[in-house]
Amino acid sequence: MKKLAKVAVAAAAALCATMAVSCSKKADSASSAKKLITIGYAQVGAESDWRLANTESFKSTFTEANGYKLIFDDAQQKQENQIKAIRNFIQQDVDYIVVAPVVETGWETVLQEAKKAGIPVILSDRQMKVSDESLYLAWVGGNFLKEGQDGVKWLEAYLKSVGRENETINIVDLQGTIGASAQIGRTQGLEEGIKAHPNWKLVAQQTGEFTQAKGQEVMESILKSTPKIDVVYAENDNMAWGAIDAIKAAGKVPGKDIIVICFDAVRETFNRMINGDEINCAVECNPLHGPRVAEIIQKLEKGGTIDSKIQYVTELVFDKNGIGNARKAADELPNRKY
């Protein structure tokens, strides 16, 4: 009996478990303690340090030693590759499908195929927009809108701390992959902040596709066309690093001449905050989703149900001095796992 059927009809499954003939397949499965749970995982790609940490979290969680067989697929930033991977997982009759979707839309057909096959789908990191939310079981990830709002709160506190809260502040938004949940939420958070502060001006907004190389390329172009920039709001760490290289090449000092705010907060960003003063603030996007997804699966395997469709991971804000809503980066660095 497929896991999705068990989720949908938990009571019926419990009754069925007492009927040896009709539930022989389930009984056989239960009697085989060593049977591995097969997970098909369709990852976005390897575009950033955050993504690598996210992938490692799944690979280190879903091991044979822990009772799993993981089938991993790297989509290389292409939705069509993920759709193909999901269909391959369905053909292989996996027990669960986990997807970190490249973009939010365009999933209805393949999710219906998974549902028809009786395979539960769990989303990780990015979300999907579907007309029927029963097409996926749960979503695990960060609150991207809150992340953006947290970055804005930090900027408010920082500008006040240095006596610049009434100045005109020119902001550059280096967006992530357009249409990705992280881009949508973080962009919205910034745009809300700009709307609430008449003296904040959005002077440039362009995608850097979540990569360091593209972040540098876009920032170089913006620096040439925009004479005064006060803040770079980079929607992930890697784009911030690329922007920093561009800022240096333009003869300016990142972190001083231009305030740098970024998202993800991987170890290298902590080093740049603590040792180089190149990054002023990093908003955490916790990539360690593997254990939380495993908790969901284990609960289902024991016949339980999911309390909430949306499952956020804990995320914090960091800077060098603990301004406003931020914690001191130096205090956190020894505990960093990514």
Side-chain angles (χ1 to χ4, degrees):
M1 179 180 288
K2 274 307 213 179
K3 307 299 184 301
L4 192 60
K6 180 171 65 178
V7 173
V9 290
L15 178 62
C16 183
T18 66
M19 302 167 60
V21 175
S22 61
C23 296
S24 60
K25 182 177 179 182
K26 186 175 182 69
D28 290 342
S29 177
S31 66
S32 179
K34 294 184 179 180
K35 180 180 181 296
L36 299 179
I37 301 169
T38 304
I39 312 295
Y41 179 38
Q43 176 62 289
V44 170
E47 78 282 1
S48 65
D49 288 58
W50 187 96
R51 187 65 57 189
L52 296 175
N54 180 248
T55 293
E56 180 56 30
S57 177
F58 279 92
K59 288 185 174 180
S60 62
T61 298
F62 294 105
T63 63
E64 288 193 11
N66 290 336
Y68 300 98
K69 176 184 177 182
L70 179 65
I71 304 173
F72 176 80
D73 188 276
D74 180 338
Q76 300 180 342
Q77 300 289 317
K78 296 180 180 178
Q79 183 181 31
E80 59 266 30
N81 290 346
Q82 285 194 310
I83 291 173
K84 181 179 179 181
I86 293 169
R87 287 185 169 134
N88 285 338
F89 297 154
I90 294 169
Q91 289 177 356
Q92 293 176 73
D93 195 29
V94 302
D95 295 302
Y96 297 89
I97 294 172
V98 182
V99 187
V102 176
V103 294
E104 291 192 344
T105 59
W107 303 99
E108 299 268 352
T109 300
V110 73
L111 290 188
Q112 287 169 355
E113 292 169 16
K115 184 177 182 179
K116 184 177 180 180
I119 303 174
V121 175
I122 300 171
L123 309 185
S124 168
D125 178 30
R126 302 175 183 180
Q127 296 179 332
M128 293 181 182
K129 288 184 178 179
V130 292
S131 59
D132 178 5
E133 290 197 347
S134 73
L135 292 175
Y136 68 91
L137 183 66
W139 171 86
V140 172
N143 188 333
F144 303 121
L145 175 57
K146 183 179 182 296
E147 290 172 8
Q149 293 167 338
D150 284 343
V152 167
K153 287 179 183 177
W154 178 88
L155 182 57
E156 291 172 340
Y158 177 79
L159 292 173
K160 187 174 182 179
S161 74
V162 296
R164 298 185 61 189
E165 67 268 32
N166 296 319
E167 291 183 17
T168 297
I169 302 297
N170 292 333
I171 301 173
V172 169
D173 180 15
L174 293 182
Q175 296 174 291
T177 303
I178 300 300
S181 299
Q183 176 273 312
I184 292 170
R186 292 167 191 168
T187 295
Q188 182 180 339
L190 175 62
E191 290 176 346
E192 288 177 356
I194 290 171
K195 186 176 181 180
H197 296 80
N199 59 314
W200 292 10
K201 308 297 180 185
L202 184 62
V203 294
Q205 187 176 53
Q206 190 172 338
T207 180
E209 299 174 0
F210 284 135
T211 70
Q212 183 169 345
K214 189 66 175 180
Q216 181 175 351
E217 176 189 327
V218 170
M219 192 65 203
E220 286 173 350
S221 176
I222 292 172
L223 282 163
K224 291 175 183 177
S225 61
T226 309
K228 186 178 185 300
I229 298 171
D230 298 293
V231 178
V232 169
Y233 177 98
E235 294 183 10
N236 83 335
D237 286 348
N238 290 70
M239 290 191 298
W241 304 342
I244 285 168
D245 290 339
I247 291 168
K248 288 178 178 178
K252 298 180 183 295
V253 180
K256 183 178 179 182
D257 296 333
I258 298 178
I259 299 164
V260 178
I261 300 171
C262 61
F263 297 81
D264 288 353
V266 299
R267 181 173 291 272
E268 174 61 21
T269 286
F270 272 73
N271 290 332
R272 289 176 182 244
M273 278 193 289
I274 297 166
N275 302 321
D277 295 322
E278 296 176 341
I279 292 174
N280 302 85
C281 171
V283 181
E284 183 177 41
C285 182
N286 186 346
L288 307 181
H289 298 174
R292 180 65 65 85
V293 173
E295 286 178 15
I296 293 172
I297 290 173
Q298 285 303 317
K299 192 169 186 179
L300 294 174
E301 289 295 307
K302 294 174 182 178
T305 57
I306 305 306
D307 299 329
S308 174
K309 201 173 188 72
I310 302 296
Q311 307 227 358
Y312 291 124
V313 290
T314 301
E315 298 173 324
L316 301 171
V317 181
F318 301 95
D319 69 2
K320 187 168 185 177
N321 300 309
I323 296 170
N325 58 337
R327 300 189 181 191
K328 292 183 179 179
D331 293 341
E332 170 65 15
L333 185 58
N335 305 320
R336 220 70 190 142
K337 293 182 179 179
Y338 50 91

